[in-house]
């Protein structure tokens, strides 16, 4: 940018000269130019489009083999080992067979490797999404006439619906519970993925930012309590129906209390032992994580030992303990999700898409900031959306970024998304060879793994007191979201969180802080006179600061604050003056007669200071924007002050506010020029007001 010439001076003071704004094109011309640019086909444009859609093309040729390979392979192996038990366990939440969780983990890792912009985020099965999928699956199964109390896992169910791959491709009339369940899950996943892809195409990556961190933390807390409740029956080995709708958590605990006498002793003992081992191992790992180069795969070790014990102890046959059952190997033929089911779950897919997008984008941006690179929110939407759209044809369900596995990836030396390929290879090995070995794994062990994975989310309740001290409004959003998730439903909790977030935002702008400012010593700075001692109020001038936008919701509060702090209800006083009533005697003037000053009396040019000040300066630096109602408020305020012979000046207006004032008619030849009403600083406005007053006094003395 070329250096600007020296600013002109007027009377020894610098004067701001506005640059001429560039000639803007009309809306039609702008749209034509953008459309022409988008539709122009050339080799550079095609390459940029492909590289934008598949970022792997850009970073893979620059891969530093010696520097990155060891860390990526190690982190990929560790995540793959963790994925296998989690995938089998999370199938309980989704109400689906374990094989589908393995499919989901495999495809999600490969697709995000190709399309993701984050180097560290792990995309795959996520407990919150699994819970949301499972609730929709249970509801649709019940509507289809299936028994909601029947679980998907177990040898009995597998014999009827998953003993061979042919049963997955037959018509609905020949399709059992598990077959219909995966149809519901894939239809829901495809709809959620389409929403996410559409959001990415429309460049709506910013939408997820409206889900604040307190909202997401409260949602995770409430959903974790719901997940814990859903797994309690597996921990006890009790068969109760899976409740749906309002108060699901309360109804589930009541059913558990009523049937606690039917608990399976073998499952209870196994759950107690597994929980003790897992929790102890996690605590020790957290305490000594700086000494461990690789996290201990506690979940995998517990699953291996539990499977061996269940197999040789014949726990299913002797004690009736529920086991995973037959898990087939290999892949099944792809299948198009049912359009009718897609239509019936379209509304549920919206909340699923929004939650998955919010968690994925927030995690990607968080780790990108901490490691010094950038990500594209819109490309993340496309990547996560494709992780749902494409795998939906291969019997997979909804995925998103997961915090716990991402932290493990970073701790084990992950450098790029090549680690996702290694993780997918580990899952593929299980899919092709090792899956049948988990036949005798008890479901209570899987429930223990799920419950232990909730530690991080459940511990967030300890942050609530600090959040309350920092921001009561954010704490309210947290509590409202979590409580609604627990007491009503997951979807209602999300809606409640959004509602209270918007309500808190509106509340902060509706009643912002207002203050009268005074001068800091001999400096040119002004601060709140009620907050700081020893400040010097400018003589016969009131400086008012309103720390928020001025719009329809807070215009009345703006006026009340100004009138209260200055001691003058300008609207009421101006009306009384127009009617010929003495202004000073009114109680509504909010001033005491003994405090009123007067510069001069009689018929001179100087009007008596009936209110103790001749000018009001509004510090507009915190004023973010004006709407039509705010503009009308300023116009009426200036009109009323003029009727009382008081001048209204504005200082520190931002360019957008100045533009709004200019377009709204606040400035003009008959209203006063911009140089007369707007000032670059509070001090310049105060000095100008005092100088004008002195000129009037001098002229009055001459007369």
């Amino acid at each position: 940018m070329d250096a600007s010439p020296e600013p002109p001076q007027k009377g020894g003071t610098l004067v701001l000269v506005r640059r001429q704004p560039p000639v803007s094109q009309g809306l039609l011309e702008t749209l034509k130019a953008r459309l022409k640019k988008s539709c122009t086909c050339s080799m550079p444009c095609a390459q940029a489009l492909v590289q934008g859609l598949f970022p792997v093309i850009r970073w893979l040729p620059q891969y530093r083999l010696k520097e990155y390979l060891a860390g990526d392979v190690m982190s990929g192996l560790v995540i793959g080992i963790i994925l296998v038990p989690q995938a089998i366990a999370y199938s309980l939440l989704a109400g689906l067979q374990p094989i589908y969780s393995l499919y989901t983990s495999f495809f999600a890792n490969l697709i995000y490797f190709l399309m993701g912009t984050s180097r560290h985020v792990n995309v795959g099965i996520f407990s919150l999404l699994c819970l949301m999928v499972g609730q929709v699956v249970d509801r649709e199964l019940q509507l289809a006439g299936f028994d909601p109390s029947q679980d998907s896992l177990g040898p009995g169910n597998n014999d009827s619906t998953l003993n061979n791959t042919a049963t997955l491709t037959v018509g609905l009339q020949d399709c059992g519970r598990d077959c219909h369940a995966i149809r519901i899950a894939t239809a829901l996943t495809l709809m959620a993925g389409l929403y996410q892809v559409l959001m990415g195409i429309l460049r709506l990556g910013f939408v997820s930012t409206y889900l604040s961190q307190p909202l997401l933390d409260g949602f995770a807390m409430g959903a974790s309590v719901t997940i814990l409740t859903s797994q309690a029956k597996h921990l006890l080995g009790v068969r109760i129906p899976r409740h749906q709708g309002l108060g699901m958590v309360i109804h589930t605990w009541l059913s558990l209390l009523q049937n606690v006498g039917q608990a399976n002793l073998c499952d209870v003992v196994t759950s107690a032992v597994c929980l003790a081992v897992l929790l102890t191992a996690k605590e020790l790992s957290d305490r000594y994580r700086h000494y461990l180069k690789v996290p201990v795969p506690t979940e995998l070790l517990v699953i291996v030992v539990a499977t061996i014990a269940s197999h040789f102890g014949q726990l299913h046959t002797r004690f009736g303990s529920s086991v995973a059952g037959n898990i087939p190997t290999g892949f099944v033929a792809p299948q198009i999700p049912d359009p009718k089911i897609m239509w019936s779950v379209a509304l549920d897919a919206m909340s699923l898409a929004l939650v998955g997008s919010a968690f994925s984008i927030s995690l990607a941006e968080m780790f990108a900031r901490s490691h010094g690179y950038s990500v594209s929110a819109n490309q993340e939407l496309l990547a996560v959306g494709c992780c749902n759209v494409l795998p939906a044809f291969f019997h997979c369900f909804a995925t998103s970024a997961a915090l716990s596995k991402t932290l493990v990836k970073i701790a084990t030396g992950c450098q790029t998304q090549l680690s996702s390929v290694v993780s997918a290879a580990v899952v593929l090995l299980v899919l092709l060879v090792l899956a049948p070995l988990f036949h005798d794994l008890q479901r209570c062990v899987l429930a223990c793994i799920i419950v232990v994975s909730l530690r991080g989310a459940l511990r967030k309740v300890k942050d609530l007191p600090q959040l309350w001290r920092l921001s009561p409004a954010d704490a309210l959003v947290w509590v409202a979201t979590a409580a609604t998730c627990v007491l009503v439903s997951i979807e209602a909790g999300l809606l409640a969180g959004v509602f209270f977030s918007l309500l808190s935002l509106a509340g902060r702008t509706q009643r912002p802080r207002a203050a009268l400012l005074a001068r800091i010593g001999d400096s040119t700075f002004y601060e709140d006179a009620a907050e700081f001692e020893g400040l010097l109020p400018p003589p016969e001038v009131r400086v008012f600061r309103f720390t928020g936008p001025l719009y329809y919701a807070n215009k009345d509060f703006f006026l009340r604050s100004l009138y209260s702090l200055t001691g003058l209800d300008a609207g009421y006083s101006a009306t009384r003056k127009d009617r010929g009533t003495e202004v000073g005697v009114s109680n509504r003037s909010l001033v005491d007669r003994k405090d009123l000053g007067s510069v001069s009396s009689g018929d001179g040019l100087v009007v008596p200071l009936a209110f103790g000040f001749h000018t009001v300066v509004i510090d507009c630096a915190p004023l973010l924007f004006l709407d039509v109602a705010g503009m009308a408020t300023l116009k009426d305020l200036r009109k009323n002050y003029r009727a009382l012979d008081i001048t209204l000046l504005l200082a520190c207006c931002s360019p957008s506010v100045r533009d709004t004032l200019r377009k709204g008619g606040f400035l003009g030849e008959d209203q006063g020029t911009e140089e007369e009403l707007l000032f670059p600083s509070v001090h310049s406005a105060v000095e100008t007001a005092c100088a004008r007053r002195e000129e009037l006094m001098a002229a009055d003395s001459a007369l």
Side-chain angles (χ1 to χ4, degrees):
M1 182 176 179
D2 297 336
S4 301
E6 291 293 330
Q9 297 188 3
K10 181 179 180 180
T13 61
L14 296 178
V15 179
L16 290 176
V17 179
R18 183 178 299 279
R19 295 180 184 271
Q20 291 296 327
V23 179
S24 59
Q25 294 180 333
L27 178 61
L28 185 59
E29 288 76 9
T30 303
L31 292 177
K32 286 182 178 179
R34 291 186 178 181
L35 185 62
K36 181 179 179 180
K37 182 179 179 181
S38 302
C39 296
T40 301
C41 185
S42 63
M43 185 58 67
C45 291
Q47 290 178 350
L49 178 63
V50 174
Q51 288 182 356
L53 189 59
F54 299 100
V56 66
I57 301 176
R58 184 169 56 250
W59 63 261
L60 190 59
Q62 303 174 0
Y63 188 82
R64 302 175 185 176
L65 196 64
K66 294 182 179 180
E67 185 177 349
Y68 293 163
L69 185 60
D72 285 342
V73 171
M74 178 59 69
S75 63
L77 288 174
V78 173
I79 291 298
I81 293 172
I82 294 176
L83 270 178
V84 172
Q86 281 195 353
I88 299 175
Y90 285 174
S91 61
L92 287 176
L93 288 176
L96 302 170
Q97 290 290 334
I99 191 67
Y100 302 130
S101 298
L102 295 173
Y103 290 161
T104 303
S105 301
F106 173 75
F107 285 107
N109 276 280
L110 288 182
I111 294 174
Y112 192 79
F113 161 74
L114 297 174
M115 302 186 65
T117 58
S118 173
R119 303 176 190 172
H120 301 93
V121 162
N122 178 266
V123 174
I125 52 175
F126 184 34
S127 58
L128 299 186
L129 297 190
C130 290
L131 175 66
M132 298 176 73
V133 170
Q135 290 182 343
V136 177
V137 168
D138 288 342
R139 186 196 68 205
E140 294 298 320
L141 285 176
Q142 189 172 7
L143 293 176
F146 291 97
D147 184 5
S149 63
Q150 184 184 13
D151 293 307
S152 64
L153 292 177
N157 297 332
N158 291 346
D159 292 341
S160 61
T161 60
L162 201 60
N163 278 340
N164 55 74
T165 59
T167 59
L168 293 173
T169 56
V170 295
L172 179 59
Q173 64 276 12
D174 299 323
C175 191
R177 179 196 185 281
D178 296 324
C179 176
H180 191 48
I182 190 58
R183 288 181 176 221
I184 299 169
T186 54
L188 177 67
T189 300
L190 180 57
M191 286 299 299
L194 290 176
Y195 289 146
Q196 292 169 333
V197 170
L198 184 61
M199 290 172 62
I201 294 175
L202 297 179
R203 322 297 290 177
L204 298 179
F206 66 91
V207 172
S208 62
T209 60
Y210 287 95
L211 299 182
S212 63
Q213 195 59 45
L215 186 154
L216 294 177
D217 290 342
F219 181 76
M221 174 63 188
S224 298
V225 174
T226 306
I227 293 172
L228 176 63
T229 301
S230 68
Q231 298 306 301
K233 64 177 183 178
H234 299 297
L235 296 176
L236 301 176
V238 177
R239 284 192 172 274
I240 59 173
R242 298 182 67 163
H243 296 281
Q244 292 289 320
L246 301 179
M248 185 272 289
V249 173
I250 298 176
H251 291 149
T252 301
W253 282 109
L254 291 176
S255 298
L256 284 171
L257 292 176
Q258 293 172 358
N259 296 274
V260 69
Q262 303 176 7
N264 187 294
L265 183 60
C266 179
D267 287 343
V268 172
V269 173
T270 303
S271 299
V273 173
C274 290
L275 285 175
V277 172
L278 289 170
L279 289 174
T280 303
K282 291 294 182 183
E283 291 297 330
L284 292 176
S285 296
D286 292 342
R287 181 174 300 182
Y288 300 105
R289 61 182 180 273
H290 300 294
Y291 303 99
L292 298 174
K293 295 183 178 180
V294 179
V296 179
T298 312
E299 293 91 344
L300 183 62
L301 296 177
V302 168
I303 280 185
V304 171
V305 174
T307 303
I308 295 174
S310 176
H311 176 73
F312 289 102
Q314 299 181 356
L315 301 184
H316 173 63
T317 304
R318 295 171 58 188
F319 302 103
S321 181
S322 300
V323 296
N326 180 44
I327 304 178
T329 57
F331 292 90
V332 296
Q335 184 179 5
I336 300 176
D338 192 336
K340 294 182 179 179
I341 301 179
M342 291 173 60
W343 178 256
S344 65
V345 299
L347 189 60
D348 302 284
M350 291 184 181
S351 59
L352 193 69
L354 189 59
V355 172
S357 301
F359 276 99
S360 299
I361 293 177
S362 61
L363 288 179
E365 292 179 343
M366 179 178 68
F367 289 108
R369 286 193 300 268
S370 62
H371 288 82
Y373 63 93
S374 61
V375 295
S376 170
N378 295 313
Q379 179 59 27
E380 286 296 305
L381 279 175
L382 289 174
V384 176
C386 289
C387 286
N388 288 324
V389 170
L390 300 178
F393 295 90
F394 294 90
H395 311 284
C396 302
F397 55 92
T399 59
S400 73
L403 175 61
S404 59
K405 290 189 284 292
T406 302
L407 292 175
V408 173
K409 286 184 70 172
I410 295 175
T412 51
C414 173
Q415 298 293 333
T416 68
Q417 282 298 330
L418 188 64
S419 62
S420 298
V421 179
V422 180
S423 301
V426 176
V427 176
L428 181 63
L429 177 64
V430 176
L431 278 170
L432 298 180
V433 180
L434 304 179
L437 299 179
F438 299 102
H439 180 280
D440 292 322
L441 177 62
Q442 292 171 270
R443 278 189 290 179
C444 63
V445 178
L446 300 177
C448 291
I449 294 175
I450 294 174
V451 170
V452 172
S453 69
L454 303 176
R455 288 166 57 252
L458 294 175
R459 282 179 172 177
K460 291 183 181 296
V461 71
K462 296 191 300 184
D463 300 333
L464 187 58
Q466 181 181 0
L467 181 62
W468 175 263
R469 291 190 294 269
L470 180 64
S471 174
D474 287 338
L476 177 63
V477 172
W478 193 102
V479 173
T481 305
T484 309
C485 285
V486 173
L487 300 178
V488 185
S489 66
I490 297 295
E491 293 78 8
L494 181 62
L495 293 177
V498 173
F499 172 76
F500 278 97
S501 293
L502 296 178
L503 189 64
S504 67
L505 180 62
R508 290 169 179 173
T509 59
Q510 190 172 359
R511 299 181 64 86
R513 184 174 181 178
L516 281 184
L517 306 185
R519 188 176 179 181
I520 305 176
D522 295 331
S523 69
T524 60
F525 300 102
Y526 291 72
E527 262 303 340
D528 186 355
E531 184 177 358
F532 299 97
E533 298 179 353
L535 303 186
L536 303 176
E540 302 173 355
V541 177
R542 300 292 182 266
V543 182
F544 177 71
R545 174 187 288 169
F546 191 70
T547 58
L550 180 56
Y551 68 115
Y552 68 94
N554 66 3
K555 59 183 179 63
D556 294 331
F557 179 75
F558 170 83
L559 292 176
R560 288 198 304 269
S561 302
L562 176 61
Y563 294 163
S564 175
L565 291 172
T566 58
L568 172 65
D569 188 334
Y572 184 81
S573 300
T575 303
R576 290 179 60 86
K577 183 177 181 181
D578 291 341
R579 293 176 180 177
T581 307
E582 184 182 359
V583 177
V585 300
S586 172
N587 292 331
R588 292 291 300 276
S589 67
L590 303 176
V591 292
D592 195 340
R593 297 288 287 179
K594 64 182 180 181
D595 296 328
L596 303 182
S598 177
V599 175
S600 65
S601 59
D603 300 324
L605 295 177
V606 180
V607 180
L609 290 181
F611 309 105
F613 57 93
H614 56 76
T615 303
V616 173
V617 177
I618 298 180
D619 180 10
C620 297
L623 201 66
L624 300 179
F625 64 87
L626 289 167
D627 69 348
V628 176
M631 177 62 64
T633 300
L634 287 181
K635 287 182 177 180
D636 293 340
L637 183 64
R638 181 177 58 183
K639 177 182 176 182
N640 294 330
Y641 275 146
R642 278 184 174 178
L644 300 175
D645 302 306
I646 296 175
T647 304
L648 177 65
L649 303 178
L650 305 182
C652 304
C653 295
S654 65
S656 61
V657 171
R658 287 199 301 267
D659 188 58
T660 304
L661 293 172
R662 194 179 304 109
K663 293 179 179 178
F666 188 83
L667 306 174
E669 295 181 0
D670 56 337
Q671 305 293 339
T673 63
E674 185 171 337
E675 289 75 16
E676 294 174 343
L677 299 177
L678 305 185
F679 294 87
S681 67
V682 171
H683 187 64
S684 62
V686 172
E687 284 192 327
T688 301
C690 294
R692 291 176 182 175
R693 187 68 181 181
E694 291 176 357
E695 291 177 0
L696 290 176
M697 291 177 62
D700 182 60
S701 300
L703 291 176

